Amino acid sequence: MAYLTLKNINKIYPNGFHAVHDFNMEAERGEFIVFVGPSGCGKSTTLRMIAGLEDISKGEFLIDGELANNWAPREREVAMVFQSYALYPNMTVYDNLAFGLNLQGVDEDVIEERVQKTAKILGLTDYLDRMPRALSGGQRQRVAVGRSIIRKVGIFLMDEPLSNLDAKQRVTMRSEITQIHRETGATTIYVTHDQTEAMTMADRIVVMKDGYVQQVGTPKEVYFNPANMFVAGFIGEPPMNFIRRRVEKGCIHVGSHCIDLSKKLGERIAEYEGKDIVFGFRPEAVVLGGQADAYTVSGMVELTEMLGDNANVYVDVDSDKAILKVTPHEIPAMDSEVVFSIPVESVYLFDAETEQVI
Ligand code: ATP
């Protein structure tokens, strides 16, 4: 049986706003789950319902098979790290870490042992005597994380814990949190709007939009088998390119190129005759020039961005915009025509009406 079960969870706020619709998910013990989606999609609301900080309007939340909807936060054995972490400014790092255990009346020698162990995991051993003001942002964030993991809890909840850090600190803390998770073994639910954080940290990702779960899957599943255009466009950087066209005699026309969709869909293409379809491909799936077993398209180069190990090329493809990822040695000249191919297996087709993958 799953450790955490969310069954048709809904949140309707007192003002009538329906923030979360029929959220379904199961998490195994020790899993690292990431909720990802744009601002306002209901990630924090769902996390707060799991923490017991927000009532569940409808649906069932089970911990280890027991209905926990009405359990107090304390009974749920959760620890939560928020976006804005508040450390006690007049206490040393040691005392900040020990605070919760002191309140619980834990023995001094047990506290000492746990503080030392937590500090070691987080690389804070040399800072235990310091005051928070004498720490960098990243170190303060580690103390905040430490205050949660020092309590032995089953569920670790994090709401955008890295958003106050600069880009470099975020990358470092990302791997540190993953490592802490591995060492503590606590089931972790982590909220972010950053798809890179989701992809790099998660065992499984829950992609949300407008209060609805769009897809639940491993990073590989949501990247390689996106359920719909939203997931396809949200996961991956730069995002997937989309070209919308009407299907005529099994083909779509992109500039002078005729793209025979039966190569991809076989006889099913007949269902889409006369209808609009969305042709999707990732910037990194593109090969410059013509290729066998591939769809070949051309476009005009509007902008190039050299990034070091690769480059982004912005092209106008028959009035649609697309981004191609190329090696630094392949960057085409501005305003030139570029011919490129997308292997048939790297093309995604979406129903233009439902936006679901075909
Ligand atoms: P962000 O990344 O911006 O925090 P989020 O995905 O975590 O976004 P939530 O904070 O869960 O989103 O909010 C979901 C929706 O519910 C938003 O439209 C928000 O305005 C609304 N909302 C949040 N709290 C309340 C409240 N107390 N009363 C009414 N509506 C609320």
Side-chain angles (χ1 to χ4, degrees):
M1 183 199 309
Y3 180 44
L4 302 180
T5 307
L6 284 83
K7 254 194 228 168
N8 295 325
I9 296 283
N10 282 264
K11 177 68 189 180
I12 302 161
Y13 279 110
N15 68 356
F17 184 73
H18 200 151
V20 177
H21 300 257
D22 288 329
F23 190 108
N24 285 294
M25 186 201 80
E26 289 192 338
E28 298 301 333
R29 220 176 255 279
E31 254 195 306
F32 197 116
I33 306 271
V34 176
F35 294 172
V36 71
S39 181
C41 69
K43 310 179 290 288
S44 300
T45 301
T46 309
L47 196 74
R48 291 169 61 80
M49 287 193 281
I50 294 171
L53 302 172
E54 204 70 73
D55 288 339
I56 296 169
S57 312
K58 225 168 36 178
E60 290 181 354
F61 172 52
L62 293 91
I63 300 180
D64 239 350
E66 285 189 59
L67 190 64
N69 283 41
N70 298 321
W71 293 8
R74 178 180 285 273
E75 297 170 293
R76 300 181 186 206
E77 297 216 333
V78 296
M80 191 147 170
V81 183
F82 294 97
Q83 183 170 340
S84 49
Y85 43 89
L87 301 181
Y88 298 105
N90 302 324
M91 289 184 194
T92 61
V93 169
Y94 185 101
D95 290 336
N96 264 285
L97 290 173
F99 188 77
L101 300 180
N102 273 324
L103 275 189
Q104 288 174 11
V106 176
D107 284 348
E108 275 303 325
D109 44 343
V110 176
I111 294 182
E112 167 78 23
E113 187 201 321
R114 286 217 219 148
V115 168
Q116 292 296 348
K117 185 161 180 239
T118 306
K120 194 159 172 237
I121 292 173
L122 290 162
L124 290 169
T125 307
D126 294 341
Y127 304 94
L128 287 172
D129 296 331
R130 290 222 193 152
M131 291 298 190
R133 66 175 171 276
L135 299 176
S136 72
Q139 290 163 341
R140 272 181 228 165
Q141 184 60 321
R142 272 187 252 161
V143 180
V145 170
R147 284 209 321 204
S148 318
I149 64 168
I150 201 162
R151 296 170 45 210
K152 291 190 174 147
V153 297
I155 312 164
F156 201 26
L157 304 176
M158 299 191 172
D159 195 347
E160 304 249 9
L162 309 186
S163 54
N164 288 329
L165 304 181
D166 66 33
K168 209 165 173 188
Q169 288 173 329
R170 274 210 295 275
V171 174
T172 316
M173 274 304 284
R174 227 156 62 192
S175 55
E176 284 185 10
I177 288 179
T178 315
Q179 197 147 354
I180 293 164
H181 169 254
R182 229 176 276 144
E183 286 178 28
T184 59
T187 309
T188 302
I189 302 186
Y190 184 104
V191 161
T192 180
H193 61 271
D194 180 344
Q195 66 92 31
T196 312
E197 272 179 29
M199 289 296 277
T200 51
M201 300 173 87
D203 290 322
R204 280 190 306 143
I205 297 177
V206 179
V207 185
M208 297 181 72
K209 181 193 168 210
D210 298 339
Y212 289 90
V213 172
Q214 303 292 308
Q215 190 168 1
V216 182
T218 63
K220 264 192 180 163
E221 281 164 355
V222 295
Y223 178 85
F224 287 108
N225 298 311
N228 57 38
M229 279 176 72
F230 177 78
V231 176
F234 194 81
I235 300 288
E237 179 56 37
M240 185 182 282
N241 298 301
F242 297 122
I243 295 176
R244 183 182 171 137
R245 290 287 183 281
R246 177 127 323 154
V247 179
E248 290 164 15
K249 295 190 186 137
C251 292
I252 56 170
H253 295 272
V254 181
S256 58
H257 302 270
C258 177
I259 294 183
D260 176 3
L261 295 181
S262 66
K263 270 202 256 180
K264 177 85 189 166
L265 285 185
E267 291 180 359
R268 286 172 62 211
I269 189 61
E271 295 168 35
Y272 292 91
E273 188 60 33
K275 292 187 186 156
D276 279 2
I277 219 168
V278 176
F279 181 87
F281 59 97
R282 295 205 180 272
E284 54 274 29
V286 163
V287 185
L288 293 187
Q291 283 261 315
D293 295 324
Y295 290 120
T296 299
V297 190
S298 57
M300 296 303 291
V301 178
E302 293 190 324
L303 183 74
T304 60
E305 270 176 0
M306 169 63 187
L307 298 169
D309 58 343
N310 61 63
N312 291 334
V313 180
Y314 294 74
V315 290
D316 180 291
V317 181
D318 189 23
S319 298
D320 284 292
K321 304 294 172 196
I323 305 176
L324 321 180
K325 202 174 230 183
V326 302
T327 69
H329 312 290
E330 293 176 320
I331 304 174
M334 293 281 286
D335 299 321
S336 66
E337 186 185 35
V338 62
V339 176
F340 60 95
S341 304
I342 310 123
V344 174
E345 71 272 13
S346 302
V347 164
Y348 296 85
L349 297 175
F350 301 92
D351 185 316
E353 204 176 319
T354 64
E355 300 197 347
Q356 298 297 307
V357 76
I358 297 172

